[in-house]
Amino acid sequence: MNLSARPAPAGSVIVVLLALLATLLPGTTAVAAESATTSTATVFYSTTSSSWSTYNLHWAPAGGSWTTVPGIEMEAACAGWVKRTVDLGTATTWQATFNNGNGTWDNNGGANYQLGTGSITVKDGAVAHSDPCADATEAEGTEATVFYDTATIGWSTYNLHWAPAGGPWTTVPGIGMDAACTGWVKRTVDLGTATTWQATFNNGNGTWDNNNGANYQLGAGINTVSAGAATKSAEDPCAAAEPDTTAPSAPGNVRAAATGTSIVLTWDAATDDTGVSGYRITRTGGTGGSSVISVGSTVYSDTGLEESTAYSYTVKALDAAGNVSAASAEARATTGEQPVQGTGAPLGGDPRKDPIYFVLTARFYDGDSANNRGGSQHVKSGNAANNDPMFRGDFKGLVQKLDYIKGLGMSAVWITPVVLNRSDYDYHGYHGYDFYKVDPRLESAGASYQDLIDAAHAKGMKIYQDVVYNHSSRWGAKGLFTPTVYGVRDSQWSWYYDQLQDGFEYDGLTVEPVSGKSYYNGDLWSTAEPSGNTCLNWGVPTGGKSAEGYTIYNCQWPSPTSGMFPEALYHQCWIGNWEGEDARSCWLHEDLADFNTENVQVQNYLIGAYNKYIDMGVDGFRVDTAVHIPRVTWNRRFLPAIQDRVTQRFGAEKAEDFFVFGEVAAFVNDKWNRGSVNHSAQFFTWKERREYAADDEVAAIEQFDYENGMGTGNQPTSTNAFLEGNSYHTPDHSRFSGMNIIDMRMHMNFGDASNAFHNGKDSDDSTNDATYNVVYVDSHDYGPNKSSERYAGGTDAWAENMSLMWTFRGIPTLYYGSEIEFQKGQKIDCGPTCPLATTGRAYYGDKVEGTVTASDFGVVSSASGAVATTLDAALVKHVQRLNRIRRAVPALQMGQYSTAGISGNMAFKRRYTDAATGVDSFVLVTVTDGATYNNIPNGTYKDAVTGDVRTVTNGTLTVAAPGKGNLRAYVLDLGGANAAPGKVGADGPYLK
């Protein structure tokens, strides 16, 4: 942001939410009405962390103009604070930045501070509602102090909302509380003539503790509130506590790397006697002068900088007591040119409308052979003999074939992870190394990841990015921790260990000139024992030999038990029980170093990384290995972070539509995975139903034990997927976690469509809303019944499966090539032990060579070459028409369903009603077999497949069996905009 001009306005959602909460929380109704008439605000700005001689306030009311730079001068308030009162006119919210009048700014990291009315404090990047100088000016009266126990609360800000007996409440959210001692915050208030008072507490962002609606009843003197219990005339819980005066150590090894007009800053974590609470970055450079940015992680992505400009950074560490470290050494980087970008905003809209096409980007279509890479296993795997490098497809190829995918009728593309990978066989993207960098083996000039997103959006298609929070590559995560392994370049191992080349940075694409490798590893190993080594018996022979007969040494290969990884950041064990707690806290595989996701440094690293891709405008995340992270960690940290970032960048409506669906790998046919609720897919669609310890590691164990003890019979249930008779009802998503799921139970049973149908619906009452389930037959991992081969049930069975997926609840999803039974019966994945060309991950490009143009979803206007032949396949015609029918009938996209009063095998009714848009859609579906529907609304029904028209006068309709793979979809004609579409598309090989 250019601070010589006006700061770019940033939206404020929090203030609006707090205003709404004021009408819902105890004791706040009158205050909400009062605050609506307030037209002034006083902001207090802390001077304790800066040494400015002058403090200026640069501000703008909501919808109004900014003051002239540098703004208006602030006045001294009390020790450590300056203040300024502003007249908001008719506005109730405003935004502000602060500066010293000489080019140094605090603009909240570019987001500006979003403020409301009344008294407000801004300190170290945090906003609270209080008057920090009130104690010096309040009239004498009866004093009371309340201490609030934070041990089991994970808030970053604590506010006290209170009222003396018979008196008014404070303005929502109340007054900020101060740190008292470890585990406690406090606030002293003047009761005037009152001797009793009542209080509630909140985090300033909509989360409250109001004693379950009863408020806390307090008295004069000292009070404590802990675990839902209030104690009057209490002992001071901090009486023996000594103040923390020790500052953290200065952050070390600060590094800055520029890409375009963005700079990624990383550093080693500081240490402190009580714990580091955050970091403060000072950036210098550009026309904006200096800026101070507060962050919680050891990685910061600084975006939107000036082109071809040198920037320098220093970092300080802070602790909870406000102690600040010395500044780090300076890091410098120079930006490049501004990349050409599109709108960069997600499309939005209900994700249930968008059928998904899943591609392994590196295996789909090769648009640029210059970025093809075979890696260390190119010859051994047999790929070399086929001229088939593992990294072959790319974003350029995917952009070129978006019309093929659109021509199938698919409007969302799920792509494998895009972050820079590092392993011997990493084309699939699940071995993340640098989570802040897009893998260059996927990008080309004019075909960056941003270009792919923009190109898809231009065609009305969404991009769902596969993301991994559970693990990194075996070589760790750049910017968080990368292990050093023992390596001796003797006559045996010199072929493997590359000589260290100072200044060369691995990116998977660039060939290191000395070794001649793009998979160079000279930065990973050392013969000399590194400083701080924790691996036992460094370099001592194990007594074992490699397959070639070479001596194997200790610390030569990363593993969870080698001691190479710090236990604060990585787990230290192998999974033993896949339904036990260790399935969430141990390694899956030697190539997948398991993050300690309950560690705040790990959390911040991952949140910061995925914020980058949210900012690029992706439309959703498919979450890999979601089951291997505790639900409480998802619910506390990662899912709210996703929602917060999308809301911050694109608004609440886009955040609601941002689609997150998790892989909870329950490869059994049980409703509950071998009786373990913690390892069942539907479990992850729910919020927590009780509070756990503030410490995330402790909370994870508490949550596992609690829910394990509750068992399968005491889990929450939902009617969100089900009709009430023939009526749609508004779903209740108040307990929704934010994560939808891949329908593992249907996936496991798709060896037979009928089994998939009956097993799938059996789990829907324990899923928050099964209409959002992602439904597929097979994938890059497994076929039905955990088969290791791509589905080979036959074309008729495929057609039947598709007919069910496109009409039953959930979002139909197709693994690339399934539309022509690509690689049917072939082993899906055999690693480097066989050529990719012989597997279910074979290169698809040969099937889509040529040109194709889609005039609409499911409509191809022209095609030539091999792709024209592919588009003539029976299943392609089938899926095209299914998509057109589904798009014509809202009930098939978003409707609830019921099988009540219906005789038939795969037969059901669905309805979707939206009063706001006037949509009402009701449909009767049967797949393959005949059915009779009783107690349905009378009226005219039109079949979307045949165009057959039926008039129902007695609440009953009978449909003859359409045949294997075929279906009937009788839509109730409700007239006007809700008229039944009649026959959609032309007869095909199955739909006729």
Side-chain angles (χ1 to χ4, degrees):
M1 170 179 152
N2 186 344
L3 289 174
S4 64
R6 297 178 187 172
S12 175
V13 176
I14 294 174
V15 173
V16 177
L17 291 174
L18 290 174
L20 292 172
L21 281 167
T23 65
L24 303 174
L25 294 163
T28 61
T29 303
V31 175
E34 176 186 326
S35 66
T37 63
T38 303
S39 59
T40 63
T42 301
V43 62
F44 293 82
Y45 186 73
S46 172
T47 64
T48 58
S49 57
S50 60
S51 57
W52 300 349
S53 58
T54 301
Y55 292 82
N56 294 313
L57 169 66
H58 182 43
W59 71 282
S65 302
W66 285 85
T67 54
T68 303
V69 173
I72 54 178
E73 189 171 351
M74 303 184 75
E75 61 190 38
C78 56
W81 295 92
V82 291
K83 71 175 182 178
R84 186 74 191 204
T85 299
V86 297
D87 186 346
L88 301 179
T90 58
T92 57
T93 61
W94 57 301
Q95 51 183 321
T97 67
F98 305 87
N99 66 87
N100 69 349
N102 196 30
T104 300
W105 289 75
D106 175 4
N107 63 1
N108 194 22
N112 305 338
Y113 290 98
Q114 307 302 318
L115 308 178
T117 57
S119 295
I120 307 155
T121 62
V122 176
K123 181 178 181 181
D124 293 334
V127 176
H129 286 255
S130 63
D131 181 348
C133 302
D135 291 342
T137 59
E138 286 179 350
E140 290 187 0
T142 303
E143 277 195 342
T145 300
V146 61
F147 289 82
Y148 187 72
D149 185 357
T150 66
T152 59
I153 307 289
W155 300 345
S156 58
T157 301
Y158 293 83
N159 294 313
L160 169 66
H161 181 46
W162 72 281
W169 284 84
T170 53
T171 301
V172 172
I175 54 178
M177 302 186 75
D178 300 317
C181 56
T182 301
W184 294 91
V185 292
K186 72 173 183 178
R187 185 73 192 203
T188 299
V189 300
D190 187 343
L191 301 180
T193 59
T195 56
T196 60
W197 54 302
Q198 55 182 321
T200 67
F201 306 87
N202 67 87
N203 69 349
N205 197 26
T207 301
W208 289 74
D209 174 8
N210 62 3
N211 195 20
N212 294 320
N215 305 337
Y216 291 99
Q217 307 302 316
L218 308 176
I222 294 176
N223 303 263
T224 61
V225 175
S226 177
T231 303
K232 300 178 183 178
S233 302
E235 296 291 332
D236 184 343
C238 298
E242 296 184 5
D244 176 11
T245 59
T246 303
S249 65
N253 198 23
V254 181
R255 303 168 297 279
T259 302
T261 54
S262 297
I263 293 176
V264 174
L265 195 69
T266 63
W267 59 91
D268 295 341
T271 58
D272 185 66
D273 57 339
T274 60
V276 174
S277 61
Y279 297 91
R280 183 181 299 146
I281 301 168
T282 299
R283 177 188 69 206
T284 304
T287 58
S290 297
S291 293
V292 178
I293 306 154
S294 297
V295 299
S297 71
T298 58
V299 180
Y300 176 69
S301 183
D302 203 3
T303 60
L305 300 173
E306 297 171 40
E307 292 183 305
S308 304
T309 302
Y311 289 90
S312 63
Y313 299 84
T314 58
V315 185
K316 296 179 181 180
L318 295 78
D319 64 17
N323 299 305
V324 182
S325 77
S328 69
E330 191 175 61
R332 300 182 181 88
T334 300
T335 58
E337 295 182 355
Q338 173 69 40
V340 178
Q341 297 191 3
T343 60
L347 289 181
D350 195 312
R352 294 173 295 181
K353 294 181 178 180
D354 299 300
I356 301 170
Y357 193 73
F358 171 36
V359 301
L360 274 71
T361 308
R363 307 302 301 157
F364 187 64
Y365 188 73
D366 187 6
D368 180 7
S369 61
N371 58 15
N372 292 359
R373 293 293 182 269
S376 66
Q377 304 299 301
H378 189 49
V379 173
K380 179 181 178 181
S381 64
N383 291 340
N386 293 317
N387 192 26
D388 184 26
M390 60 172 182
F391 268 95
R392 189 172 176 184
D394 46 40
F395 294 146
K396 186 173 184 179
L398 190 49
V399 168
Q400 291 172 357
K401 297 304 173 185
L402 285 174
D403 265 31
Y404 169 75
I405 299 171
K406 183 172 183 176
L408 295 177
M410 318 299 278
S411 51
V413 186
W414 157 17
I415 60 172
T416 40
V418 304
V419 305
L420 175 62
N421 267 229
R422 193 166 197 179
S423 81
D424 289 332
Y425 218 51
D426 57 8
Y427 64 94
H428 43 66
Y430 298 99
H431 295 160
Y433 173 66
D434 188 344
F435 286 68
Y436 284 77
K437 183 180 182 67
V438 175
D439 200 307
R441 291 167 289 189
L442 299 175
E443 294 195 302
S444 308
S448 67
Y449 186 33
Q450 185 70 60
D451 292 325
L452 168 63
I453 296 168
D454 294 342
H457 286 176
K459 293 182 181 294
M461 302 169 70
K462 296 179 178 179
I463 294 292
Y464 295 152
Q465 178 179 327
D466 212 322
V467 294
V468 185
Y469 288 77
N470 178 66
H471 57 263
S472 68
S473 73
R474 70 161 64 98
W475 304 114
K478 184 180 178 183
L480 181 70
F481 178 80
T482 301
T484 299
V485 301
Y486 176 79
V488 55
R489 297 189 77 248
D490 57 18
S491 59
Q492 297 180 347
W493 289 105
S494 59
W495 66 275
Y496 183 74
Y497 295 112
D498 301 324
Q499 185 174 346
L500 177 64
Q501 302 299 326
D502 291 331
F504 182 83
E505 185 174 353
Y506 167 86
D507 65 10
L509 178 71
T510 307
V511 173
E512 192 277 310
V514 176
S515 68
K517 298 175 180 177
S518 63
Y519 51 94
Y520 155 88
N521 63 19
D523 57 327
L524 298 175
W525 65 273
S526 172
T527 302
E529 185 172 358
S531 174
N533 169 57
T534 55
C535 185
L536 298 176
N537 301 313
W538 177 268
V540 176
T542 64
K545 299 286 185 179
S546 71
E548 301 88 353
Y550 301 159
T551 299
I552 297 176
Y553 302 89
N554 280 298
C555 309
Q556 196 171 14
W557 197 256
S559 76
T561 56
S562 64
M564 291 183 188
F565 291 86
E567 62 180 335
L569 305 179
Y570 283 89
H571 291 135
Q572 308 288 303
C573 52
W574 296 105
I575 291 178
N577 178 6
W578 289 86
E579 278 73 48
E581 197 285 324
D582 55 335
R584 312 181 314 161
S585 57
C586 296
W587 286 37
L588 300 167
H589 187 271
E590 64 180 9
D591 250 350
L592 310 176
D594 202 77
F595 285 130
N596 178 6
T597 51
E598 286 61 69
N599 175 277
V600 67
Q601 188 178 347
V602 173
Q603 293 168 354
N604 288 333
Y605 176 85
L606 293 168
I607 290 168
Y610 290 127
N611 280 350
K612 169 180 177 175
Y613 305 107
I614 290 172
D615 293 351
M616 294 174 76
V618 297
D619 301 278
F621 286 158
R622 180 268 187 183
V623 181
D624 182 72
T625 51
V627 68
H628 299 295
I629 294 175
R631 186 180 75 178
V632 67
T633 304
W634 283 117
N635 286 346
R636 279 185 176 182
R637 309 302 174 200
F638 297 134
L639 294 172
I642 293 170
Q643 279 289 302
D644 289 349
R645 187 64 169 200
V646 182
T647 300
Q648 175 190 345
R649 289 304 305 272
F650 306 113
E653 185 175 348
K654 290 291 177 70
E656 184 177 355
D657 292 336
F658 191 89
F659 189 48
V660 178
F661 58 106
E663 177 205 25
V664 181
F667 297 125
V668 295
N669 294 330
D670 307 341
K671 180 174 182 176
W672 297 100
N673 186 6
R674 295 190 178 96
S676 175
V677 295
N678 284 282
H679 298 89
S680 300
Q682 63 267 36
F683 180 77
F684 285 80
T685 66
W686 296 95
K687 289 181 179 179
E688 304 307 326
R689 44 183 171 166
R690 55 156 286 190
E691 289 290 333
Y692 299 106
D695 183 285
D696 284 354
E697 289 197 44
V698 176
I701 300 295
E702 289 179 350
Q703 179 252 304
F704 180 88
D705 290 341
Y706 175 77
E707 294 292 357
N708 207 41
M710 294 297 288
T712 62
N714 294 294
Q715 295 299 313
T717 58
S718 170
T719 62
N720 285 338
F722 306 124
L723 294 174
E724 293 178 346
N726 293 312
S727 299
Y728 179 88
H729 64 94
T730 302
D732 177 6
H733 293 150
S734 62
R735 299 302 301 161
F736 175 51
S737 67
M739 182 185 290
N740 298 287
I741 53 172
I742 294 170
D743 198 319
M744 280 292 168
R745 196 165 181 201
M746 288 193 74
H747 165 51
M748 283 290 97
N749 283 279
F750 259 121
D752 177 79
S754 178
N755 283 343
F757 171 67
H758 291 288
N759 274 275
K761 67 189 185 73
D762 181 50
S763 295
D764 288 352
D765 64 346
S766 59
T767 304
N768 185 271
D769 192 341
T771 65
Y772 289 87
N773 284 10
V774 170
V775 183
Y776 58 62
V777 173
D778 63 354
S779 72
H780 60 319
D781 286 326
Y782 292 104
N785 295 313
K786 206 176 181 182
S787 168
S788 60
E789 287 81 37
R790 285 197 74 156
Y791 183 74
T795 310
D796 289 353
W798 251 124
E800 185 176 50
N801 288 339
M802 289 178 178
S803 291
L804 177 62
M805 286 194 294
W806 262 258
T807 56
F808 189 44
R809 57 92 186 121
I811 303 171
T813 301
L814 205 60
Y815 182 39
Y816 81 98
S818 291
E819 63 272 23
I820 58 169
E821 298 177 88
F822 183 61
Q823 297 297 92
K824 61 181 179 181
Q826 295 295 319
K827 192 172 183 65
I828 293 174
D829 174 33
C830 60
T833 65
C834 70
L836 280 166
T838 65
T839 72
R841 298 179 177 183
Y843 177 65
Y844 194 59
D846 297 337
K847 304 295 184 182
V848 289
E849 284 288 0
T851 63
V852 57
T853 301
S855 57
D856 200 351
F857 291 102
V859 181
V860 173
S861 56
S862 66
S864 63
V867 69
T869 302
T870 295
L871 288 166
D872 275 336
L875 288 177
V876 170
K877 299 298 184 185
H878 188 54
V879 77
Q880 286 176 320
R881 192 167 182 215
L882 283 170
N883 271 316
R884 293 181 66 187
I885 290 172
R886 191 176 188 272
R887 289 181 182 279
V889 184
L892 296 180
Q893 303 168 43
M894 300 167 289
Q896 296 163 342
Y897 77 95
S898 174
T899 57
I902 303 173
S903 63
N905 183 18
M906 291 181 283
F908 45 91
K909 54 187 175 183
R910 297 187 67 184
R911 190 167 205 152
Y912 176 73
T913 305
D914 184 353
T917 60
V919 172
D920 189 10
S921 175
F922 183 78
V923 62
L924 309 174
V925 177
T926 184
V927 177
T928 299
D929 302 313
T932 296
Y933 305 85
N934 296 302
N935 301 316
I936 60 173
N938 290 330
T940 300
Y941 290 78
K942 298 179 181 179
D943 180 22
V945 177
T946 65
D948 181 45
V949 178
R950 302 282 192 92
T951 300
V952 174
T953 58
N954 62 353
T956 300
L957 189 151
T958 298
V959 179
K964 182 82 168 182
N966 203 348
L967 67 91
R968 296 291 179 259
Y970 281 90
V971 182
L972 177 61
D973 193 332
L974 294 168
N978 295 314
K983 184 175 182 177
V984 178
D987 287 355
Y990 290 99
L991 296 179
K992 53 189 178 182

